[in-house]
Amino acid sequence: GIAWGPQARRCHCVPAARMTRFHAAAELHVRSQGASVKVKRIVSNVATSDVDKASAFYKDVLGLKVLMDLGWIRTYGSSSKMTIQVSVMSEGGSGTAVPDMSIEVDNVEEALMRVRKAGIAIEYGPATEPWGVRRFYVRDPFGKLINILQHE
């Protein structure tokens, strides 16, 4: 994770040549406080005018539970603890487009069967990739490209 505390010599967000007294003072204040930041979770947000459309895909196909529903926002998820990751990509691998979201499942073949049963078009795969995953791409009800994968 990112640590901005006494163990950090300086914040590298500002090049040394561009450090101002303000930056130096702010950096000194952060170091003196022993402050650190720990990411607790990352949430993927999908814009839509119809939150109800998500249920058939995220709940019925992928088996996620509704964790929160305020009408304007519906959050799907799992009670499982998961690792935090942000992937920055120039391509999706194997010459594919960069997916909007990747969802790792414990049984990619079952997920594939559910997708097909729901009549959702497969955009790529299923494929076993050289980096050790089996995956396929679909679009969610909002047009987002979803990479569904399982590590082998």
Side-chain angles (χ1 to χ4, degrees):
I2 297 172
W4 293 329
Q7 72 281 4
R9 285 194 12 208
R10 65 176 298 282
C11 172
H12 295 285
C13 57
V14 179
R18 298 194 61 221
M19 287 286 283
T20 64
R21 279 189 285 178
F22 171 78
H23 291 113
E27 187 174 302
L28 180 61
H29 175 74
V30 168
R31 281 196 306 234
S32 69
Q33 298 295 313
S36 67
V37 175
K38 180 179 179 183
V39 176
K40 294 174 66 176
R41 97 182 142 150
I42 295 173
V43 176
S44 179
N45 299 308
V46 177
T48 181
S49 59
D50 185 357
V51 296
D52 292 330
K53 286 173 51 178
S55 185
F57 182 74
Y58 291 101
K59 182 177 170 222
D60 299 342
V61 172
L62 294 177
L64 295 173
K65 294 178 174 54
V66 175
L67 302 178
M68 176 180 72
D69 188 346
L70 301 178
W72 59 273
I73 179 175
R74 185 171 300 147
T75 301
Y76 294 86
S78 165
S79 60
S80 298
K81 292 288 181 188
M82 300 176 202
T83 57
I84 295 171
Q85 287 183 254
V86 174
S87 296
V88 180
M89 309 162 77
S90 63
E91 67 160 284
S94 295
T96 65
V98 174
D100 294 299
M101 188 184 320
S102 292
I103 299 175
E104 183 178 354
V105 297
D106 64 350
N107 187 337
V108 74
E109 298 305 324
E110 175 66 22
L112 182 59
M113 185 197 71
R114 289 178 177 209
V115 163
R116 286 180 172 151
K117 186 176 179 184
I120 299 169
I122 308 294
E123 299 243 340
Y124 170 76
T128 300
E129 303 291 5
W131 54 90
V133 299
R134 182 150 172 82
R135 69 183 183 149
F136 62 93
Y137 284 7
V138 295
R139 293 212 178 259
D140 77 357
F142 314 106
K144 298 295 183 186
L145 188 61
I146 310 296
N147 174 27
I148 300 177
L149 67 119
Q150 178 180 4
H151 281 89
E152 295 187 315

